[in-house]
Amino acid sequence: MGLFSNQFSNVVEWQESRDDIMFWKWKNDEIKKGSKLIIRKGQDAIFMYNGKVEGIFQDEGSFDIESQIIPFLSTLKGIKFGFNSGVRCEVLFINTKEFTVSWGTKNPISIQTASLQAGMPIRAFGKFTCKLGDYDTFIDKIAGVKDQYTIDEIKERVVSVLNPLLMKWITKEGKDMFNLQANAIEIGNGIKEDLDMEISKIGINITGFYIENFNYPEQIRKMQEKVASQSMIGDVGKYTQVAMADSIEKGSGAGANMSNMAGTMAGMQMGMMMGQQMMNQMGGMMGQQMQPQMGQQMQPQMGQQMQPANAGAGNGTAPKFCPNCGNPTNGAKFCSNCGQQL
């Protein structure tokens, strides 16, 4: 913006230095003969005279106010600039871009559930997008009494009505309180509609509302992590193996607390499994070593059993069994059963 003395023309422009301002008001005593209007990309210029909108200019470029702007202003179209006289008016520069704003709940929202009678406190955060829509309404409600309007001011308005809207759409149609993220898009779309209806009262449109995350209490998060781990592993056996591995990893550090019951049980089970594996390996090795020895010992025994009953008759000793009837001889020279000479 350039400010000049009454003798010279001036330049009506908004040299944006901040990207969080939704509109900025150019004010001077009067616009002189030969003055220029400069509209940059992403800007609209609104001429106001005595608090009334005279014209809205949306094309970017540099324009001569007397010849290219005044003829289009309803009240001022017939005005003639004199050398020392000008026209008193205000010019509002509108930032036409879409703004992206981060939001978060100021306080936890207590959601009633069947399992928690006192309610479950939930926080949420995300982003919403907005832009100026209805210039007349915005000027009437905001720009008429302000010189500029920042994105922090619209954020404050949004957050002030956010908690009841979150509660409304979270509890609608029996959403799963422990898995709200699965319904984040649906909840966000519902809030966007209600929020747009509310904020449009000041001429601003809510073009999008997004929930990035729901934040549960610490105890609830730990329960969710545990249940998720068990369901991902699938069965108790695998879960026990993972628990043992986790216990080994934690117990490997200095000063580990080995009195933890879960860690102790996991360690005992792992020890039993390792011992069983060692026994199986040792059993296999011993079996291989003992097999030839047992074969050598069995061979003479089997040879003795397979000898004929009269095997010893030729060496002067009586056989143990009668070769005729098989009756035990008990060292006698004749069989007591059939009388066979031994």
Side-chain angles (χ1 to χ4, degrees):
M1 178 183 69
L3 298 178
F4 298 85
S5 64
N6 290 339
Q7 296 94 320
F8 299 99
S9 62
N10 42 30
V11 178
V12 181
E13 63 177 337
W14 179 21
Q15 295 178 338
E16 286 186 78
S17 58
R18 293 169 52 183
D19 59 1
D20 63 334
I21 299 179
M22 302 190 78
F23 95 97
W24 177 79
K25 184 182 293 183
W26 183 93
K27 293 193 301 185
N28 201 359
D29 287 340
E30 56 186 5
I31 298 174
K32 296 295 185 178
K33 183 180 178 67
S35 296
K36 297 289 185 182
L37 170 67
I38 297 177
I39 303 177
R40 291 178 170 81
K41 186 176 182 179
Q43 296 179 355
D44 287 349
I46 303 175
F47 276 75
M48 297 185 64
Y49 181 70
N50 290 336
K52 179 183 176 183
V53 175
E54 291 291 330
I56 300 175
F57 300 89
Q58 299 174 318
D59 295 332
E60 59 184 280
S62 177
F63 307 91
D64 179 79
I65 292 180
E66 182 179 10
S67 62
Q68 295 178 284
I69 301 299
I70 293 296
F72 296 96
L73 303 181
S74 56
T75 304
L76 303 176
K77 63 175 56 177
I79 193 170
K80 299 294 182 182
F81 282 91
F83 182 76
N84 291 322
S85 65
V87 56
R88 296 177 180 273
C89 67
E90 297 175 334
V91 181
L92 303 182
F93 284 93
I94 303 295
N95 191 337
T96 61
K97 75 175 183 180
E98 186 177 70
F99 294 87
T100 300
V101 189
S102 297
W103 63 267
T105 51
K106 286 185 176 180
N107 302 304
I109 308 168
S110 184
I111 305 297
Q112 299 296 321
T113 66
S115 56
L116 298 173
Q117 296 181 356
M120 181 167 59
I122 295 176
R123 292 180 181 270
F125 61 89
K127 290 182 172 61
F128 69 88
T129 55
C130 64
K131 64 184 302 183
L132 278 172
D134 188 339
Y135 289 174
D136 290 333
T137 302
F138 183 74
I139 291 170
D140 182 51
K141 300 294 185 181
I142 303 294
V145 294
K146 286 178 173 289
D147 292 335
Q148 66 179 29
Y149 195 69
T150 65
I151 200 63
D152 285 337
E153 293 176 272
I154 184 62
K155 177 180 179 180
E156 186 176 350
R157 283 180 174 265
V158 168
V159 172
S160 67
V161 298
L162 194 53
N163 278 22
L165 292 179
L166 276 166
M167 184 175 294
K168 170 187 174 181
W169 286 96
I170 287 175
T171 57
K172 189 174 182 180
E173 298 178 359
K175 299 289 191 302
D176 182 1
M177 294 298 105
F178 298 96
N179 192 22
L180 291 175
Q181 200 62 41
N183 300 298
I185 295 177
E186 181 183 352
I187 296 172
N189 289 338
I191 293 175
K192 182 257 180 186
E193 293 179 6
D194 288 351
L195 195 59
D196 181 56
M197 186 178 301
E198 178 66 26
I199 303 302
S200 65
K201 295 176 182 179
I202 60 173
I204 297 175
N205 293 333
I206 302 298
T207 56
F209 189 89
Y210 311 99
I211 301 173
E212 294 182 358
N213 197 15
F214 289 98
N215 195 341
Y216 294 92
E218 183 67 22
Q219 297 86 343
I220 300 297
R221 288 203 301 270
K222 289 182 178 179
M223 283 175 46
Q224 289 176 324
E225 292 172 359
K226 185 174 182 179
V227 171
S229 298
Q230 291 178 346
S231 61
M232 182 176 64
I233 290 172
D235 60 58
V236 178
K238 291 184 180 179
Y239 179 76
T240 304
Q241 294 176 6
V242 173
M244 288 191 295
D246 185 57
S247 177
I248 294 172
E249 182 179 355
K250 291 180 180 178
S252 61
N257 184 9
M258 299 305 294
S259 63
N260 182 275
M261 183 172 294
T264 303
M265 292 178 64
M268 291 174 62
Q269 186 168 354
M270 185 195 68
M272 293 171 63
M273 292 174 63
M274 293 178 63
Q276 183 65 39
Q277 292 178 356
M278 293 176 63
M279 289 293 293
N280 291 340
Q281 293 176 357
M282 292 178 63
M285 295 173 60
M286 292 178 63
Q288 293 177 359
Q289 293 177 358
M290 293 177 64
Q291 185 174 359
Q293 296 178 2
M294 292 179 64
Q296 294 174 2
Q297 294 176 0
M298 291 291 292
Q299 287 177 359
Q301 294 179 3
M302 292 177 63
Q304 293 177 1
Q305 292 179 1
M306 294 179 64
Q307 284 181 353
N310 59 354
N315 55 12
T317 60
K320 293 181 180 181
F321 299 93
C322 175
N324 184 41
C325 66
N327 190 57
T329 63
N330 296 323
K333 293 184 178 181
F334 294 91
C335 177
S336 61
N337 184 44
C338 65
Q340 174 71 30
Q341 183 179 359
L342 303 175

